[in-house]
């Protein structure tokens, strides 16, 4: 398996871990009764600021992961894997890992820097695939 695909699989596992972490914290804060209901009403209380930040970080990763998946798939199907594309995939993955604590702890401007690095890596992978 190529490094790019390993990074994509790892990013998927990070995404799943983020969801599990948010779900666990939300259940502990609000209680499972709300989460097993049809959720026709607002939660009985808002999430704590930390859990709300983790939820937003998860949603951000969900959006970013789609672009990265398209980029890695395109590079792979085009047969354009190289040291550069592997390095870009690793940089994306590293940036996404760092994005989570940066969002949770409100590290500014690092949260935006890590987002930008991941986004740029995905765009560069797409450009390379097209060359």
């Amino acid at each position: 398996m190529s490094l790019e695909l390993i990074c994509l699989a790892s990013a998927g596992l990070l995404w799943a871990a983020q969801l599990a972490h948010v779900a666990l914290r939300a259940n502990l804060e609000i209680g499972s009764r709300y989460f097993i209901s049809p959720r026709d009403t607002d939660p009985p209380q808002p999430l704590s600021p930390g859990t709300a930040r983790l939820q937003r970080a998860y949603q951000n990763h969900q959006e970013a992961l789609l672009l990265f998946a398209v980029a890695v798939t395109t590079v792979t199907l085009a047969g354009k894997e190289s040291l550069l594309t592997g390095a870009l995939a690793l940089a994306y993955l590293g940036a996404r890992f760092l994005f989570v604590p940066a969002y949770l702890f409100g590290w500014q401007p690092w949260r935006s820097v890590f987002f930008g690095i991941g986004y740029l890596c995905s765009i560069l992978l797409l450009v390379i695939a097209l060359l």
Side-chain angles (χ1 to χ4, degrees), residues 14-15 18 50 52-65 90-119:
L14 173 61
W15 183 45
Q18 284 181 265
R53 285 180 178 182
L54 287 172
Q55 184 179 42
R56 291 191 303 273
Y58 163 76
Q59 290 166 342
N60 181 280
H61 190 168
Q62 187 169 337
E63 295 166 3
L65 185 58
L90 276 174
Y92 171 90
L93 184 60
R96 292 313 306 184
F97 269 103
L98 292 170
F99 182 83
V100 176
Y103 211 128
L104 175 61
F105 299 118
W107 298 342
Q108 287 300 324
W110 298 108
R111 177 181 64 100
S112 297
V113 168
F114 297 139
F115 170 82
I117 290 169
Y119 183 78

Side-chain angles (χ1 to χ4, degrees), residues 9-54:
S10 299
L13 290 173
L14 173 61
W15 183 45
Q18 284 181 265
L19 176 59
H21 189 199
V22 169
L24 177 64
R25 282 181 61 148
N27 270 283
L28 290 172
E29 290 177 14
I30 295 176
S32 60
R33 172 168 274 163
Y34 173 75
F35 292 105
I36 62 173
S37 77
R39 299 186 202 175
D40 293 331
T41 61
D42 291 333
Q45 67 190 42
L47 295 172
S48 70
T51 301
R53 285 180 178 182
L54 287 172

